[in-house]
Amino acid sequence: MSITETSMYKYLMLNYNEKKDAVAMSFLHKKFTYGFLSDEIDRIACFLKNQGIEKGDRVTIALPNIPSAVSSFYAVNKIGAVANMVHPLVPYELLAEYMKDTGSKLLFAFDTLLDGYFDRLIEDGFRVVVCKANDYLGAFESFFYTAFGKKRYRQIDDIRCVKFADARGTEVYHVDADESFDDVSVIMHSSGTTEKSKSAALTNKNFNTIAENTIDILPWKKKLGIGMAGLTVLPMFHAFGLGVCIHTYLSYGYDNVLIPKYSPKLIIKKLRRKNIAVIAGVPTMFAGMVAQKGFDGRHLRKLRFAFCGGDKLSAKVKTKFDYTVSKNGGECPLDEGYGLTEAAGVFSVNTRAASREGSVGKALGDAEIHVFDENGNKLPPDSQGELCLSTDALMKGYINGGKISSDGFFEYGGKRYVRTGDWGSVDADGFIYFKQRIKRMEKVSGVNVFPAEAENVISAVGGVRACCVKGVPDNRKGTVLKAFVQAEEGADTDKLLAAIKAECAEKLDKWTNPKYYEFIDRFPVTKFGKIDYNKL
């Protein structure tokens, strides 16, 4: 039996005796040991049982990265219930839809956000546990706590809900830990591998596989990370955040430094003050980091592994990150990888042992990725087509009307594959080259073009902070490309535009060369921190 064939809770506890006195989580100015985390998980598990939550029941967790989000998740997992992970900032209508569609019996929600729709939740029959960031602070500290702003909660009524502070005071009694590994344990909501938003049903084994594969690419592999810290900026409702930043860090003894809200300045502050050895994030996060003056410094020597996924990484951001770390005596390049919610996060990455420029690395662990054409034929190495994936981390399917559907799956060579919705290639050595989301491909004068190619050229021009290229209607050609550009502060946009056009004319073909340009102050982003192309 594989080590991954157990619950996420049991996987977390496999090496408990070795790490119980080590720091498991750092939040604000407080530290919490693995012993503390274990006790809190037990108490919340007993609370859930007292609330009538049983194996297979769905519990919604709509929280930022705060300690109660971690303990609630593992408590739900311990009793064999299913964690329905929801962005805490979704509007009430969408939150209610997610809860109704999954049959959720309980909601863990954040007080600051909950106050805006508390009455509606109660009126619609939902049971609520109110979580606060300062649940973990003493009375004196809580009084002066202002990180989330001072606010009087007018709607939240203690009589009509349960406070997390009370739930964690539940008397502990023996609760058998569920060990099912192939049952649905987590529901993640994403855009899916097609246009329509979908809810992925993932198992314990899926996330345990991610932890096994991720830990094996670290230079020191499965050696416990006691005394080292991992920075957690990616949220728990994101498969990458839950699988790598929470489950992998905690399962292998790291101090999980929780960042509840993305802030480049706060990230830099933690890098300077903590012993951050591992950091994982998306391109927008790293772009914001390297743009900060405080990023540069001797503290970068402590970094041991940095991983970027979730979207295409700009060569300019990687170059600046690598150069700044190296000049300060560090040996930590920014490694680009690739992943899907449908595969519990990451499944390929460039590593120190195997790296190739322009690629997103090789498949990790048992994962296999091949290129198929639109008729389902596997293509030879270096051919371009749709990237398709098979792995033990592959979800059970999408939740559709309360049932699990197999949209996007197919069988090949006796294995189950999912269509990623991404266009790319795989070379003869197994390195994967991600070109573009298929739904972002454009046809200009009948030619398939990839906006990412123009984005890479424009992003490399000095004075450009970020850019996004997309297709826009054109009377003669049907569609042409338009570039939206965010300039560095103080840049002369007339000179910058001339430089951009010169680079594009030299390096891009006539179909990929943008016809229109627009400078903007900031980009709209999705709930996952990616540029929202549809809003441009």
Side-chain angles (χ1 to χ4, degrees), residues 27-28 64 66 110 112 133 145-151 153 260-261:
F27 179 68
L28 300 176
I66 58 178
F110 191 47
T112 303
Y145 176 66
T146 57
F148 292 90
K150 296 177 181 178
K151 183 177 178 180
Y153 303 110
K261 183 179 180 181

Side-chain angles (χ1 to χ4, degrees), residues 7-38:
S7 69
M8 292 175 71
Y9 167 76
K10 294 286 280 188
Y11 187 91
L12 168 71
M13 301 301 289
L14 285 174
N15 46 33
Y16 175 70
N17 288 334
E18 299 172 67
K19 64 188 183 186
K20 65 180 180 180
D21 295 322
V23 176
M25 300 179 291
S26 291
F27 179 68
L28 300 176
H29 301 293
K30 306 282 282 187
K31 298 178 183 294
F32 307 94
T33 66
Y34 280 90
F36 173 93
L37 177 61
S38 174

